[in-house]
Amino acid sequence: MDFTRVTEQPTSFDRPQPGADPGDPRGALVHAQEPARAPGTGAALAAQARSGGESAASQAASPAPSGAAPETAAPGGSGQDTVTGPASEHSQPGAEHGAGPDAHRPRPASEGIPVQPAAGQEGRPVQGPDGRERRTGQVTPPGRPTPMRRDGDRLRFVGAATRRIARGIDLDEIVMGLCRATVPTFSDAILVYLREPLPVGDERPTGPLVLRLRRSDRIPADRDTEGGFAPIAPPEPNELDSVGEELCTVRPGSALAEVLRGVRPVFTDAPAARAALPELLGEQGATAVPDGQRAILAPLRGRRRVIGAALFLRRPERIPFEADDLLVAAQLATHSALGIDKAVLYGREAYIADELQRTMLPEHLPRCTGVRLASRYLPAAETARVGGDWYDAIPLPGSRVALVVGDVMGHSMTSAAIMGQLRTTAQTLAGLDLPPQEVLHHLDEQAQRLGVDRMATCLYAVYDPVSHRITIANAGHPPPVLLHLGGRAEVLRVPAGAPIGVGGVDFEAVELEAPAGATLLLYTDGLVESRLRDVWTGIEQLREKLAATAQLTGPDHPPPLEALCDEVLDMLGPGDRDDDIALLAARFDGIAPSDVAYWFLEPEDAAPGRARRLARRALSRWGLEELTDSVELLVSEVVTNAVRYATRPVTLRLLRTDVLRCEVGDDVPQLPRLRQARATDEGGRGLYLVNRLARRWGATRLSTGKVVWFELNHG
């Protein structure tokens, strides 16, 4: 349905004439059967219409012959309507042909300017062989105004064209709307030049003014003219095709600069505009512009400055533009320029929001011991593209890793900003090595401090590759799905909990088995919920999709992690992109017990020597004797620092994975700092040695103290 059509009551200027075609787009009435009328009435009123100068009383005294046939006004008559029924001041033209209940209602008016007559017929409408007007089918009386010159036609066209331009959101849609609205209704061709680059908002452009041809539109030579555009003679195929250059630099003080500064549309036959054409179109393009008032150059001015120009062209065989057409071009240029400004601002806002959200998501996932990670993020549809979904993987002490996925309610830049704050808070809390339920509790408090109605769902899980266990706490988020090595997929039963931001609720954590080879899938509700399905139906479909994908690789080999994420996203249908989607997949490899060595050391002076002996034995058992000297030196330094201040037993753990990792834990919360020892200092060189010899090292504060760790490469 075309919502751009308007319905207008016929005025005295453009009432349809007698004998109008029922399909007249100007609003001809629907004709019905002729109603009954009093004998003699039609003849009397017809005689009154013909006489024009006699009084009504004298004509009423002349009786009409009985059974006289009704008469109609001649084509060349005075233009009064012939009435064949009882007349009233509310009678509509042509009512003698339709007495139905809707006979007084006009048809919707056409949204475009009527067809342009050919040159040489500017004072007369285009007529067919039968003497009727080609556009409406009416018999055209001599001296009747040409339909294209009616003010109502232009107003209807401007209204329809501006509505079409305003429907566009992005830059291409607005420029296309301008071209499609004007060709062929208003002009035979149009060229739209825009500033390169387009300024955004209040920013001041730097450098010279450069115009780039953004779009051009022309009537093809083989156009089907049945829709109303019927040129008298076929145009030359390339008549207007040579008009236009790709790039134009506007020189300060030039004729084109003066025309653009003037803002108002001008005919190109004016001296200033004619001098500006070679600069805009090039010498060859300027010579192809038809002579006379057949081209209008309209500057496009936005809210702050000129952002381009539009050139409207008519072929030489068409009638030239009129003075009122400059007003039409001005309206088109103004609405187009404001729409372009709006589109540029909208595009910049969407770009900023998208960048804001993407920079708040992890750029890449960390490489953690005993677990492999993969992720996906898909923004929502263009109508609501900015959301608050996020995911994260945070390394923890003891080779553990925290897996986080969350969803801030709403779709706006505010949601993205709140997501960034909650993600930063979660990373800080994870660094304190708090239990999952405590992390959610502090996130809930932080959401309440951010303001009212700052709600989000979140799932926080901690995986320990040594114990092959995972601890999960949930805050109103969809439950994760665990895909076992044999191909069985199950939805984990975790307490649902209340969303973050509700306040005054407790969160509960559960500890579950995380067998080697299994895959844990964490996701946001955009993956499983849409207008076409509820969330639980989507979760069941996700479980079935994971199980079917696992069957393809067999029971002994889990599917590749990246391919599994792609297969999961393939379950999305055309109506499933109402929300953004965050997806985090974790493949549990674990650490075998044979690759772990763990001891408790009493905080005494003999602890460093015992640590060296235990480390030497473990390395010999693993066949890593080449690392013995380095490991003994570093272990001795770290354990010495630990037992100096510790009051409880010190822990020493060695992990053999792709690297050799050593962890020393104590009950002192103060973290060691690397410093340059002076020549007279007796200590302070332990961490300097660790920093020089180790591949990586670090210190992490725990709720019960701290852990100092370092890693060494092995063959």
Side-chain angles (χ1 to χ4, degrees), residues 624-646:
L624 301 177
E625 289 84 355
E626 70 276 7
L627 298 179
T628 301
D629 294 339
S630 299
V631 171
E632 285 187 5
L633 176 60
L634 299 182
V635 166
S636 178
E637 292 292 339
V638 176
V639 172
T640 299
N641 291 335
V643 300
R644 180 177 298 177
Y645 306 103

Side-chain angles (χ1 to χ4, degrees), residues 171-195:
L171 184 61
D172 291 333
E173 290 180 350
I174 293 174
V175 176
M176 182 185 298
L178 171 64
C179 295
R180 297 289 173 83
T182 54
V183 178
T185 309
F186 181 69
S187 63
D188 295 338
I190 182 174
L191 283 78
V192 181
Y193 285 85
L194 295 182
R195 193 165 192 153

Side-chain angles (χ1 to χ4, degrees), residues 345-410:
L345 289 173
Y346 174 80
R348 173 62 64 89
E349 179 183 353
Y351 171 78
I352 293 175
D354 188 63
E355 286 298 308
L356 171 67
Q357 185 179 31
R358 290 189 178 276
T359 52
M360 290 182 178
L361 294 174
E363 185 176 354
H364 58 271
L365 295 174
R367 297 186 60 182
C368 303
T369 303
V371 61
R372 286 173 288 171
L373 302 171
S375 64
R376 294 291 187 274
Y377 175 78
L378 292 180
E382 292 295 326
T383 55
R385 58 185 300 175
V386 182
D389 292 15
W390 91 91
Y391 62 89
D392 216 340
I394 309 169
L396 299 179
S399 300
R400 297 171 300 152
V401 59
L403 307 174
V404 191
V405 65
D407 182 6
V408 177
M409 297 183 182

Side-chain angles (χ1 to χ4, degrees), residues 192-215:
V192 181
Y193 285 85
L194 295 182
R195 193 165 192 153
E196 179 76 16
L198 279 169
V200 180
D202 295 334
E203 74 177 26
R204 301 182 64 86
T206 59
L209 173 58
V210 178
L211 300 180
R212 181 178 294 276
L213 181 61
R214 184 76 185 193
R215 184 181 177 88

